[in-house]
Amino acid sequence: MGNEKQIDSGRRNLIVATGAAGGVVGLATAGALVSTFQPSERAKAAGAPVEVDIAALNPGEMVTVEWRGKPVWVLKRTPEMVASLKKTDGKVADAESKRNPDEYTPEYARNEWRSRKPEILVAVGICTHLGCSPSSKFQPGPQPSLPDDWEGGFLCPCHGSTFDMAGRVFKNKPAPDNLQVPRYMFLSDTKLVIGKDEKGEA
């Protein structure tokens, strides 16, 4: 009789110890799983709106900033660059940005300039074909891989898609859509924020 009690007591202690250890491991695992569902600081920062100061940007110059891991171009167009858009209206595939407007062009950029101000272009520098980054080819005139009547714009080196100074894709090119214009707004004449507008964050 006394022996049985000792064995039961030993088993009970073993079961309690095992259960406690299992509970600790279970809690640690659950804690690790929960932490993986929470975005990291880097992930939060990657999606946050980005402020850009364009006070030092001269006409004809472009700055590239990163937003959500993508290059975003802010180009201060010259009067000649803005004027070239009238010449390319008939050569681009979607002059009025009607294709996939909700994905590629906010309402305030559905105009010839694809921007809030004629002289400022804000566009995601990723070709809508297969995701390459186009090169700036602002100099008008004949050049390798470009037509003789080139007015200036962007050339995708991967498959030859060309875009005008508003990021509008030319006809008969692999890219199906114009370059994306992210949501943005001006905070002042010289500062803008990308990834946010009057309707909130993108």
Side-chain angles (χ1 to χ4, degrees):
M1 280 289 215
N3 254 355
E4 285 179 27
K5 284 183 181 175
Q6 282 182 340
I7 291 170
D8 286 346
S9 174
R11 282 186 183 162
R12 187 175 35 228
N13 289 342
L14 182 62
I15 289 168
V16 168
T18 305
V24 168
V25 170
L27 285 172
T29 304
L33 284 173
V34 168
S35 71
T36 61
F37 291 119
Q38 297 172 351
S40 67
E41 289 305 314
R42 183 175 178 161
K44 287 178 192 172
V50 178
E51 285 190 20
V52 186
D53 188 341
I54 57 170
L57 204 59
N58 293 313
E61 291 181 347
M62 182 174 79
V63 64
T64 303
V65 296
E66 185 179 342
W67 173 69
R68 290 189 173 172
K70 302 174 186 174
V72 177
W73 300 331
V74 181
L75 167 66
K76 189 168 188 179
R77 291 179 282 214
T78 63
E80 293 77 20
M81 289 174 170
V82 174
S84 75
L85 300 177
K86 287 260 186 245
K87 299 174 187 174
T88 55
D89 274 344
K91 300 173 185 178
V92 295
D94 185 18
E96 298 176 8
S97 301
K98 291 183 177 178
R99 291 186 194 169
N100 303 311
D102 293 335
E103 184 178 355
Y104 289 105
T105 316
E107 285 180 27
Y108 43 79
R110 292 177 201 163
N111 50 47
E112 188 175 59
W113 319 297
R114 297 191 76 232
S115 61
R116 288 180 177 266
K117 296 181 179 182
E119 70 276 14
I120 302 293
L121 172 68
V122 178
V124 175
I126 296 177
C127 181
T128 55
H129 180 218
L130 291 176
C132 297
S133 187
S135 306
S136 56
K137 298 288 182 180
F138 298 159
Q139 182 66 39
Q143 296 165 60
S145 304
L146 294 169
D148 289 347
D149 60 350
W150 181 247
E151 294 290 340
F154 305 91
L155 167 68
C156 183
C158 295
H159 300 97
S161 291
T162 47
F163 302 86
D164 72 359
M165 294 303 302
R168 301 181 299 179
V169 67
F170 281 85
K171 293 176 182 175
N172 305 314
K173 296 294 179 179
D177 292 291
N178 294 335
L179 296 178
Q180 180 189 6
V181 173
R183 284 166 61 174
Y184 75 97
M185 63 183 187
F186 283 89
L187 301 175
S188 70
D189 286 342
T190 59
K191 190 171 283 190
L192 54 89
V193 61
I194 296 165
K196 182 179 181 179
D197 60 15
E198 294 81 359
K199 292 184 178 180
E201 292 186 20

